[in-house]
Amino acid sequence: MPPIPLPPERRPDGGPVRPGHYELLPIQPPEDEGFAQAVAKGLQSDAKSLPCRFLYDERGSQLFDRITQLDDYYPTRAERSILVGHADEVARSVAAPAELVELGSGSAAKTRVLIEALLRGQPDLRFVPIDISPGMLDASSRALLADYASLEVRAIEAEYEAGLREIGRLPTGRTRLIAWLGSSIGNLSRHAALAFVTAVGRSMRDRDRLLLGIDRRKDAATLERAYDDREGVTAAFNLNLLERINRELGGDFDLDAFHHRAVYLDGPGRVEMHLVSRVAQRVAIDELGCEIALERGEAIHTESAYKYSPGEVAELAAGAGLRVERSWTDAAERFSLNLLAPA
Ligand code: AVJ
């Protein structure tokens, strides 16, 4: 096992990284709207909503982890099977020496499939995970280094945009494979998705590639089952947002007075998650010094998950100045993995 430095080297200038070591670059988070402000704004407007990023506190992240293992939630398994089948082709498409940049790396479980494929062709691979959770970065970086002695890890603690700016700023003599997996893009509106992929495209040089995992449009029953599973984990994940308001902002939400709903809107091609009030009620939130009035059946919109047809993936790529070089699906054609190149 290679020596793992403790704590990681913090080198804000992005100097050299040594194999078997990792460094952590902490980037200032951008003007982020706090939880309290977001709740005050989202629950006091006519169409109530809460930003989905607040679903992922510690408990929410644990619940999401369980979601990815559910029978009803097919995307994780489907994407993994595509990666297992095609990681070698992906790896061959990026010239050595390469660096694998992963956006929102999380626990980097699926990434191992890619890392192993890349390492088969080039032992001196560098991995650059970008994530907002330093705990995740730390745990996954250490685990990867323990398993892959020749790997270099340069972790960037940042949101996507800041992380991207950072990799644009850091010099690299390496070909970049930027991986954005798990259909994370689905949380963005189509407009925001295009803007973000355009920004990624601008950071890419000719030989760089973007590997985009995107869930496909499909029948409503399959999609709604995936977001309202039979074990009730997604319901708990959604309701945890109200618990979080209770915990962190002195809220008085009675969780039994709400139910989880997932609905697929075929036109816009998105699943929406809602928390629906079972009764007419008023809920106090102490720290905000306000009371939220809800009608019976009134919904709080908590997350959108956009789905893409193959045509929509091509359109997204073209709009962003990229082209779809390769595209794969799982056996059931539920999910797509797309390799995008500069147009
Ligand atoms: C993490 C955004 C990809 O939309 O499928 C899963 C989140 N929410 N079940 C998705 C989620 C409820 C997930 N993403």
Side-chain angles (χ1 to χ4, degrees):
M1 239 203 258
I4 296 170
L6 228 165
E9 301 166 45
R10 288 175 176 259
R11 221 188 301 206
D13 61 335
V17 206
R18 281 169 293 150
H21 285 72
Y22 93 95
E23 58 170 25
L24 179 69
L25 303 178
I27 307 301
Q28 268 317 320
E31 9 54 65
D32 185 36
E33 183 186 36
F35 186 47
Q37 286 158 282
V39 171
K41 191 170 145 211
L43 295 188
Q44 293 184 103
S45 76
D46 285 345
K48 295 183 172 58
S49 69
L50 293 167
C52 65
R53 69 178 184 281
F54 294 113
L55 286 164
Y56 300 86
D57 63 349
E58 200 174 316
R59 170 116 182 96
S61 299
Q62 284 168 2
L63 286 166
F64 179 68
D65 226 63
R66 281 182 57 200
I67 288 173
T68 64
Q69 295 162 35
L70 294 170
D71 283 342
D72 287 337
Y73 190 75
Y74 63 84
T76 310
R77 256 175 298 118
E79 184 177 51
R80 188 172 223 306
S81 79
I82 305 172
L83 278 169
V84 167
H86 302 284
D88 281 316
E89 288 165 81
V90 173
R92 279 197 299 273
S93 73
V94 290
E99 111 186 338
L100 172 64
V101 176
E102 185 169 23
L103 297 170
S105 56
S107 68
K110 277 173 293 195
T111 320
R112 286 178 169 253
V113 181
L114 269 180
I115 288 177
E116 285 178 17
L118 286 159
L119 282 173
R120 279 193 280 276
Q122 46 180 310
D124 66 336
L125 181 69
R126 181 187 296 163
F127 178 49
V128 184
I130 301 176
D131 202 283
I132 44 168
S133 162
M136 269 300 192
L137 286 172
D138 202 66
S140 63
S141 297
R142 283 168 200 283
L144 288 170
L145 288 174
D147 290 346
Y148 311 112
S150 66
L151 195 68
E152 295 176 8
V153 181
R154 173 182 282 168
I156 299 180
E157 177 194 338
E159 294 196 331
Y160 294 158
E161 284 81 2
L164 256 193
R165 276 199 298 277
E166 197 55 27
I167 65 157
R169 203 178 63 82
L170 293 176
T172 182
R174 291 165 177 264
T175 316
R176 280 199 176 112
L177 175 63
I178 303 172
W180 196 20
L181 303 176
S183 208
S184 299
I185 192 173
N187 272 164
L188 302 182
S189 70
R190 293 200 194 265
H191 179 78
L194 176 61
F196 185 74
V197 175
T198 301
V200 175
R202 287 208 188 103
S203 83
M204 289 166 63
R205 294 150 306 173
D206 278 356
R207 304 202 311 166
D208 295 344
R209 294 290 180 270
L210 170 63
L211 187 66
L212 204 49
I214 308 188
D215 197 18
R216 301 182 71 189
R217 283 179 179 256
K218 61 184 62 66
D219 63 284
T222 302
L223 284 166
E224 289 174 359
R225 179 99 287 166
Y227 290 83
D228 189 6
D229 65 275
R230 282 168 282 195
E231 290 170 61
V233 184
T234 311
F237 171 70
N238 200 8
L239 285 160
N240 175 59
L241 199 46
L242 299 182
E243 269 181 279
R244 182 172 179 186
I245 297 174
N246 289 350
R247 274 195 307 268
E248 295 181 22
L249 303 175
D252 196 24
F253 281 99
D254 171 7
L255 269 52
D256 293 330
F258 289 84
H259 71 86
H260 165 71
R261 178 172 72 196
V263 52
Y264 179 58
L265 307 174
D266 193 31
R270 66 170 183 263
V271 176
E272 287 188 3
M273 294 206 320
H274 299 139
L275 290 162
V276 183
S277 179
R278 295 183 192 274
V279 292
Q281 54 180 322
R282 298 184 71 84
V283 182
I285 305 177
D286 283 350
E287 272 193 34
L288 301 180
C290 72
E291 220 179 44
I292 307 299
L294 290 125
E295 287 167 31
R296 180 172 176 217
E298 187 173 347
I300 304 169
H301 177 198
T302 54
E303 189 173 41
S304 288
Y306 283 82
K307 308 300 167 185
Y308 287 71
S309 67
E312 285 168 329
V313 174
E315 212 176 288
L316 171 73
L322 301 168
R323 67 190 162 85
V324 183
E325 186 174 66
R326 300 292 305 272
S327 184
W328 301 275
T329 64
D330 57 307
E333 304 194 337
R334 289 175 167 177
F335 201 92
S336 72
L337 186 69
N338 307 278
L339 190 66
L340 274 50

